[in-house]
Every structure is written in C-alpha cells, then in structure tokens.
Amino acid sequence: MLEYPAALDRVFHALADPSRRAMVDRLARGPASVSELAEPFDMTLAAVAQHLRVLEDSGVVRTEKVGRVRTCRIEPAALTSAEQWISKRKALWERRLDRLADVLAERNKK
Amino acid sequence: MLEYPAALDRVFHALADPSRRAMVDRLARGPASVSELAEPFDMTLAAVAQHLRVLEDSGVVRTEKVGRVRTCRIEPAALTSAEQWISKRKALWERRLDRLADVLAERNKK
C-alpha cells in the first residue's frame, strides 16, 4: 500500500487538477488510448501527455504501449490509499463526537 | 456539498502536503489552538499559519478566534466530498470489472 507520505502527496496532487480528475473519470469507465483520452479536451497533446505523466507518477493511472498505441487504465490501489487516508481521519473525528455526546448525556442524567 | 471543481481542487491540493495532512491528523483527534497545532513541527509560526490558511481556504479546517486564542477544528464536509469523489470512480471501475467477469463467464459456458 501507499501509506508513506511522498506517495500520498503525489496521489492528492494528481487529483487536485480538474483536467486530471476528468481523465480519471473517463478511465473509471474503461481503458482508453491516449488519443481517446485527449479527445474531449481543448488541449494540446503535449499538455495531455504532461497530465498523464503526473497521473502515472502518482500510480493512479498505468499506461502500456502495444505497437503504436498507448493504452491508459486506472490502477485502483493508489485511489484506495487516498480514500482510506481520508476515511480514517473522518472516523477518528466521528468517534470523538460520539464520545462527547456520551459525556453530555451522562451529565444530563445526573 | 463541494462537488464543483474549484472546491475539490482546493481540498485535494490541501491534502497533497505532508505537514498539512499531519495537521488534519492532529485535528481529527480534537480541536487545537494554533500553538498546540504548531508544537510538533520544526517550522516557523508563519509557515504554520500559511499551511493553516490553505486548509481553511479548502474548507477542511475551520478556525475561530475567541479572545487571544485561535482554535482550529475539522470541517468534515470537505473531506467527505473528496472521499466521495474517489469512491464513486472506484465504484464505476469495479462495476466495469464485474461486467467483464460476467461476459467471460458467459462465454466459458458456451
């Protein structure tokens, strides 16, 4: 898993851009070639390639070249590590609220 | 909710830094004053304040000044929107894998 800080830095950084999130959105529906991925964007292929590199470096997307076509696909483990990082902190926070509610309920009984 | 792009940009950007994640981690355990929050960091108070501003702008953290003490706390809605963005894409991806598995199983039966 990717719990070590630098990997999470890269995953959250990769997701902090709306074009990159749109690419992840597209790839969540299935693998795509680079040109299919680029199609909906009003962007040069070079800009698309740069976003793709950030996504690959983060481990969120994997690409594979077969012949002349590079195919991109989601790598769910990186997304899972980011999701779990958030959900653990939310769980801590909610547990704390529950404990507070217990303390208040206890106090009202007295 | 914060599903609109710029808000998610800010949340993911806020989480892309290990010091800011450490601050969220601390605040998930309960509210803290700015100096309590700064304590474990080998960082100037100005640097802490700057990280805090990024966290506040993203909506992940809320701060409130009472008298001379500024108290920081988690605002879970922003974390939820980031968590949900990720989990929706993962769900799409997994549904697609399930459909593929069905297609393959169907083909093997024939």
Side-chain angles (χ1 to χ4, degrees), chain B residues 41-60:
Chain B
F41 294 103
D42 186 21
M43 218 185 266
T44 63
L45 263 181
V48 169
Q50 206 170 343
H51 281 310
L52 207 47
R53 206 166 312 126
V54 175
L55 286 167
E56 267 196 283
D57 288 347
S58 72
V60 170

Side-chain angles (χ1 to χ4, degrees), chain A residues 9 21 25 80 89-90, chain B residues 9 21 25 80 89-90:
Chain A
D9 287 5
R21 284 201 306 280
D25 215 12
T80 300
R89 274 70 199 172
K90 279 188 55 194
Chain B
D9 288 5
R21 284 201 306 280
D25 213 14
T80 300
R89 275 69 199 174
K90 278 188 55 194

Side-chain angles (χ1 to χ4, degrees), chain A residues 5 9 12-13 15-16 18 21 25 27-31 74 76 79-80 83 85-87 89-90 92-93 96, chain B residues 5 8-9 12-13 15-16 18 21 25 27-31 74 76 79-80 83 85-87 89-90 92-93 96:
Chain A
D9 287 5
F12 285 124
H13 171 68
L15 297 179
R21 284 201 306 280
D25 215 12
L27 293 176
R29 290 164 170 82
I74 291 281
L79 288 178
T80 300
E83 186 187 27
W85 190 92
I86 298 174
S87 62
R89 274 70 199 172
K90 279 188 55 194
L92 275 175
W93 173 255
R96 200 194 139 263
Chain B
L8 275 176
D9 288 5
F12 284 124
H13 170 68
L15 298 179
R21 284 201 306 280
D25 213 14
L27 294 176
R29 290 165 171 81
I74 291 282
L79 288 179
T80 300
E83 186 187 26
W85 190 92
I86 298 175
S87 61
R89 275 69 199 174
K90 278 188 55 194
L92 274 175
W93 173 255
R96 198 193 140 262

Side-chain angles (χ1 to χ4, degrees), chain A residues 4-78:
Chain A
Y4 58 100
L8 275 176
D9 287 5
R10 284 196 292 270
V11 175
F12 285 124
H13 171 68
L15 297 179
D17 178 276
S19 305
R20 290 197 290 269
R21 284 201 306 280
M23 290 175 178
V24 172
D25 215 12
R26 164 64 189 81
L27 293 176
R29 290 164 170 82
S33 69
V34 175
S35 49
E36 282 168 346
L37 196 59
E39 215 218 77
F41 294 101
D42 187 20
M43 216 185 267
T44 62
L45 264 180
V48 169
Q50 206 170 343
H51 281 311
L52 207 47
R53 207 167 312 127
V54 175
L55 287 167
E56 266 196 283
D57 288 347
S58 73
V60 171
V61 168
R62 187 160 49 92
T63 78
E64 191 185 17
K65 198 164 183 177
V66 176
R68 292 174 55 174
V69 177
R70 180 172 292 280
T71 302
C72 313
R73 63 187 77 239
I74 291 281
E75 193 62 78

Side-chain angles (χ1 to χ4, degrees), chain B:
Chain B
M1 288 301 288
L2 302 165
E3 264 285 350
Y4 59 100
L8 275 176
D9 288 5
R10 284 196 292 271
V11 175
F12 284 124
H13 170 68
L15 298 179
D17 179 276
S19 304
R20 289 196 292 268
R21 284 201 306 280
M23 289 173 178
V24 172
D25 213 14
R26 164 63 189 82
L27 294 176
R29 290 165 171 81
S33 69
V34 175
S35 49
E36 284 168 343
L37 196 60
E39 214 219 79
F41 294 103
D42 186 21
M43 218 185 266
T44 63
L45 263 181
V48 169
Q50 206 170 343
H51 281 310
L52 207 47
R53 206 166 312 126
V54 175
L55 286 167
E56 267 196 283
D57 288 347
S58 72
V60 170
V61 168
R62 187 160 50 92
T63 78
E64 192 184 16
K65 198 164 182 176
V66 176
R68 292 174 56 174
V69 177
R70 179 171 293 279
T71 302
C72 314
R73 63 188 78 236
I74 291 282
E75 193 62 79
L79 288 179
T80 300
S81 62
E83 186 187 26
Q84 287 181 347
W85 190 92
I86 298 175
S87 61
K88 277 182 196 165
R89 275 69 199 174
K90 278 188 55 194
L92 274 175
W93 173 255
E94 277 152 17
R95 221 175 303 148
R96 198 193 140 262
L97 288 188
D98 288 346
R99 277 201 309 272
L100 265 182
D102 288 348
V103 169
L104 291 176
E106 199 55 41
R107 185 190 281 178
N108 282 342
K109 262 196 254 164
K110 286 175 189 168

